[in-house]
CSV table of all heavy atoms in Angstrom, one decimal:
chain,number,residue,atom,x,y,z
A,472,GLU,N,19.5,9.6,3.3
A,472,GLU,CA,18.5,10.5,3.6
A,472,GLU,C,17.6,10.1,4.8
A,472,GLU,O,17.3,10.8,5.7
A,472,GLU,CB,17.6,10.7,2.4
A,472,GLU,CG,16.7,11.9,2.4
A,472,GLU,CD,15.9,11.9,1.1
A,472,GLU,OE1,16.4,11.8,0.0
A,472,GLU,OE2,14.6,12.1,1.2
A,473,ILE,N,17.4,8.8,4.9
A,473,ILE,CA,16.6,8.2,6.0
A,473,ILE,C,17.5,8.3,7.3
A,473,ILE,O,17.1,8.7,8.3
A,473,ILE,CB,16.2,6.8,5.8
A,473,ILE,CG1,15.2,6.8,4.5
A,473,ILE,CG2,15.6,6.2,7.0
A,473,ILE,CD1,14.0,7.7,4.7
A,474,MET,N,18.8,7.9,7.1
A,474,MET,CA,19.7,7.9,8.3
A,474,MET,C,20.0,9.3,8.8
A,474,MET,O,20.4,9.5,10.0
A,474,MET,CB,21.0,7.2,7.9
A,474,MET,CG,20.8,5.7,7.6
A,474,MET,SD,19.7,4.8,8.7
A,474,MET,CE,20.6,4.7,10.2
A,475,ALA,N,19.7,10.3,8.0
A,475,ALA,CA,19.9,11.7,8.5
A,475,ALA,C,18.7,12.2,9.4
A,475,ALA,O,18.8,13.3,9.9
A,475,ALA,CB,20.0,12.6,7.3
A,476,ILE,N,17.7,11.4,9.5
A,476,ILE,CA,16.6,11.8,10.4
A,476,ILE,C,17.2,11.8,11.8
A,476,ILE,O,17.9,10.8,12.2
A,476,ILE,CB,15.4,10.8,10.4
A,476,ILE,CG1,14.8,10.9,8.9
A,476,ILE,CG2,14.4,11.1,11.5
A,476,ILE,CD1,13.7,9.8,8.7
A,477,PRO,N,17.1,12.9,12.6
A,477,PRO,CA,17.8,13.0,13.9
A,477,PRO,C,17.5,11.8,14.8
A,477,PRO,O,16.3,11.3,14.8
A,477,PRO,CB,17.2,14.3,14.5
A,477,PRO,CG,16.8,15.1,13.3
A,477,PRO,CD,16.4,14.1,12.3
A,478,ALA,N,18.4,11.4,15.6
A,478,ALA,CA,18.3,10.2,16.5
A,478,ALA,C,17.2,10.4,17.5
A,478,ALA,O,16.6,9.4,18.0
A,478,ALA,CB,19.6,10.0,17.2
A,479,ASP,N,16.8,11.7,17.8
A,479,ASP,CA,15.8,11.9,18.9
A,479,ASP,C,14.4,12.0,18.2
A,479,ASP,O,13.4,12.3,18.9
A,479,ASP,CB,16.1,13.0,19.8
A,479,ASP,CG,16.2,14.4,19.0
A,479,ASP,OD1,16.1,14.3,17.7
A,479,ASP,OD2,16.4,15.4,19.6
A,480,ASP,N,14.3,11.8,16.9
A,480,ASP,CA,13.0,11.9,16.2
A,480,ASP,C,12.2,10.7,16.5
A,480,ASP,O,12.7,9.6,16.6
A,480,ASP,CB,13.2,12.0,14.7
A,480,ASP,CG,12.0,12.4,14.0
A,480,ASP,OD1,11.0,11.7,13.9
A,480,ASP,OD2,12.0,13.6,13.4
A,481,GLU,N,10.9,10.8,16.7
A,481,GLU,CA,10.0,9.7,17.1
A,481,GLU,C,10.0,8.7,15.9
A,481,GLU,O,9.5,7.5,16.2
A,481,GLU,CB,8.6,10.1,17.5
A,481,GLU,CG,7.8,10.7,16.4
A,481,GLU,CD,6.5,11.2,16.9
A,481,GLU,OE1,5.9,10.7,17.9
A,481,GLU,OE2,5.9,12.1,16.2
A,482,PHE,N,10.4,9.0,14.8
A,482,PHE,CA,10.5,8.1,13.7
A,482,PHE,C,11.3,6.8,14.1
A,482,PHE,O,10.9,5.7,13.7
A,482,PHE,CB,11.4,8.7,12.5
A,482,PHE,CG,11.6,7.8,11.4
A,482,PHE,CD1,10.7,7.6,10.3
A,482,PHE,CD2,12.8,7.1,11.3
A,482,PHE,CE1,10.9,6.8,9.2
A,482,PHE,CE2,13.1,6.2,10.2
A,482,PHE,CZ,12.1,6.1,9.2
A,483,TRP,N,12.3,6.9,14.9
A,483,TRP,CA,13.1,5.8,15.3
A,483,TRP,C,12.5,5.0,16.5
A,483,TRP,O,13.1,4.0,16.9
A,483,TRP,CB,14.5,6.2,15.7
A,483,TRP,CG,15.2,6.9,14.6
A,483,TRP,CD1,15.5,8.2,14.4
A,483,TRP,CD2,15.7,6.3,13.3
A,483,TRP,NE1,16.1,8.5,13.2
A,483,TRP,CE2,16.3,7.3,12.5
A,483,TRP,CE3,15.7,5.0,12.9
A,483,TRP,CZ2,16.8,7.0,11.2
A,483,TRP,CZ3,16.2,4.7,11.6
A,483,TRP,CH2,16.8,5.7,10.8
A,484,GLU,N,11.4,5.4,17.0
A,484,GLU,CA,10.8,4.7,18.2
A,484,GLU,C,10.0,3.6,17.8
A,484,GLU,O,9.5,2.8,18.8
A,484,GLU,CB,10.0,5.8,19.0
A,484,GLU,CG,10.9,6.9,19.7
A,484,GLU,CD,10.1,8.0,20.3
A,484,GLU,OE1,8.8,7.8,20.4
A,484,GLU,OE2,10.7,9.0,20.7
A,485,LEU,N,9.6,3.4,16.6
A,485,LEU,CA,8.8,2.3,16.2
A,485,LEU,C,9.6,1.0,16.0
A,485,LEU,O,10.6,1.0,15.2
A,485,LEU,CB,8.0,2.6,15.0
A,485,LEU,CG,6.8,1.7,14.6
A,485,LEU,CD1,5.7,1.9,15.6
A,485,LEU,CD2,6.4,1.9,13.2
A,486,THR,N,9.3,-0.1,16.7
A,486,THR,CA,10.0,-1.4,16.3
A,486,THR,C,9.2,-2.0,15.2
A,486,THR,O,8.1,-2.5,15.4
A,486,THR,CB,9.9,-2.3,17.6
A,486,THR,OG1,8.6,-2.4,18.1
A,486,THR,CG2,10.8,-1.8,18.7
A,487,ILE,N,9.8,-2.0,14.0
A,487,ILE,CA,9.0,-2.3,12.8
A,487,ILE,C,8.6,-3.7,12.7
A,487,ILE,O,7.8,-4.0,11.9
A,487,ILE,CB,9.8,-1.8,11.5
A,487,ILE,CG1,11.1,-2.5,11.4
A,487,ILE,CG2,9.9,-0.3,11.5
A,487,ILE,CD1,11.8,-2.2,10.0
A,488,ALA,N,9.3,-4.6,13.4
A,488,ALA,CA,8.9,-6.0,13.4
A,488,ALA,C,7.7,-6.3,14.2
A,488,ALA,O,7.2,-7.5,14.2
A,488,ALA,CB,10.0,-7.0,13.7
A,489,ASP,N,7.2,-5.3,15.0
A,489,ASP,CA,6.0,-5.5,15.8
A,489,ASP,C,5.5,-4.2,16.2
A,489,ASP,O,5.5,-3.7,17.3
A,489,ASP,CB,6.5,-6.3,17.2
A,489,ASP,CG,5.2,-6.8,17.9
A,489,ASP,OD1,4.1,-6.6,17.4
A,489,ASP,OD2,5.4,-7.3,19.0
A,490,PRO,N,4.9,-3.5,15.1
A,490,PRO,CA,4.5,-2.1,15.3
A,490,PRO,C,3.2,-1.9,16.0
A,490,PRO,O,2.8,-0.7,16.2
A,490,PRO,CB,4.4,-1.6,13.8
A,490,PRO,CG,4.0,-2.8,13.1
A,490,PRO,CD,4.6,-4.0,13.7
A,491,GLY,N,2.4,-3.0,16.3
A,491,GLY,CA,1.1,-2.8,16.8
A,491,GLY,C,0.1,-2.6,15.7
A,491,GLY,O,0.4,-2.3,14.6
A,492,SER,N,-1.2,-3.0,16.0
A,492,SER,CA,-2.3,-3.0,15.0
A,492,SER,C,-2.5,-1.6,14.4
A,492,SER,O,-3.0,-1.5,13.3
A,492,SER,CB,-3.5,-3.7,15.5
A,492,SER,OG,-3.9,-3.0,16.7
A,493,PHE,N,-2.2,-0.6,15.2
A,493,PHE,CA,-2.3,0.8,14.6
A,493,PHE,C,-1.1,1.3,14.0
A,493,PHE,O,-1.1,2.5,13.6
A,493,PHE,CB,-2.8,1.7,15.8
A,493,PHE,CG,-4.2,1.5,16.2
A,493,PHE,CD1,-4.5,0.5,17.1
A,493,PHE,CD2,-5.2,2.3,15.6
A,493,PHE,CE1,-5.8,0.3,17.5
A,493,PHE,CE2,-6.5,2.1,16.0
A,493,PHE,CZ,-6.9,1.1,17.0
A,494,GLY,N,-0.1,0.5,13.9
A,494,GLY,CA,1.2,1.0,13.3
A,494,GLY,C,1.5,0.5,12.0
A,494,GLY,O,2.6,0.7,11.5
A,495,LEU,N,0.6,-0.3,11.4
A,495,LEU,CA,0.9,-1.0,10.2
A,495,LEU,C,1.3,-0.1,9.0
A,495,LEU,O,2.1,-0.5,8.2
A,495,LEU,CB,-0.4,-1.8,9.7
A,495,LEU,CG,-0.9,-2.9,10.6
A,495,LEU,CD1,-2.0,-3.6,9.9
A,495,LEU,CD2,0.2,-3.9,10.9
A,496,PHE,N,0.8,1.1,9.0
A,496,PHE,CA,1.1,1.9,7.8
A,496,PHE,C,1.8,3.2,8.2
A,496,PHE,O,1.7,4.2,7.4
A,496,PHE,CB,-0.3,2.3,7.1
A,496,PHE,CG,-1.0,1.0,6.6
A,496,PHE,CD1,-2.1,0.6,7.2
A,496,PHE,CD2,-0.4,0.1,5.7
A,496,PHE,CE1,-2.8,-0.6,6.9
A,496,PHE,CE2,-1.1,-1.1,5.3
A,496,PHE,CZ,-2.2,-1.4,5.9
A,497,LEU,N,2.5,3.2,9.3
A,497,LEU,CA,3.3,4.4,9.7
A,497,LEU,C,4.5,4.5,8.8
A,497,LEU,O,5.0,3.4,8.4
A,497,LEU,CB,3.6,4.3,11.2
A,497,LEU,CG,2.4,4.3,12.1
A,497,LEU,CD1,2.9,4.2,13.5
A,497,LEU,CD2,1.7,5.7,12.0
A,498,SER,N,5.0,5.6,8.7
A,498,SER,CA,6.2,5.8,7.7
A,498,SER,C,7.4,4.9,8.0
A,498,SER,O,8.1,4.5,7.1
A,498,SER,CB,6.5,7.3,7.6
A,498,SER,OG,6.9,7.8,8.8
A,499,PRO,N,7.7,4.7,9.3
A,499,PRO,CA,8.9,3.9,9.5
A,499,PRO,C,8.8,2.4,9.0
A,499,PRO,O,9.8,1.8,8.6
A,499,PRO,CB,9.1,3.8,11.1
A,499,PRO,CG,8.4,5.0,11.6
A,499,PRO,CD,7.2,5.2,10.6
A,500,ILE,N,7.5,1.9,8.9
A,500,ILE,CA,7.3,0.6,8.3
A,500,ILE,C,7.9,0.6,6.8
A,500,ILE,O,8.6,-0.4,6.4
A,500,ILE,CB,5.9,0.3,8.2
A,500,ILE,CG1,5.3,0.1,9.7
A,500,ILE,CG2,5.6,-1.0,7.4
A,500,ILE,CD1,5.8,-1.0,10.4
Side-chain angles (χ1 to χ4, degrees):
E472 196 178 312
I473 297 305
M474 299 314 291
I476 296 172
D479 62 356
D480 194 294
E481 64 182 336
F482 175 88
W483 299 109
E484 291 171 11
L485 191 74
T486 51
I487 61 172
D489 194 5
S492 54
F493 286 84
L495 297 184
F496 305 110
L497 296 177
S498 61
I500 297 292

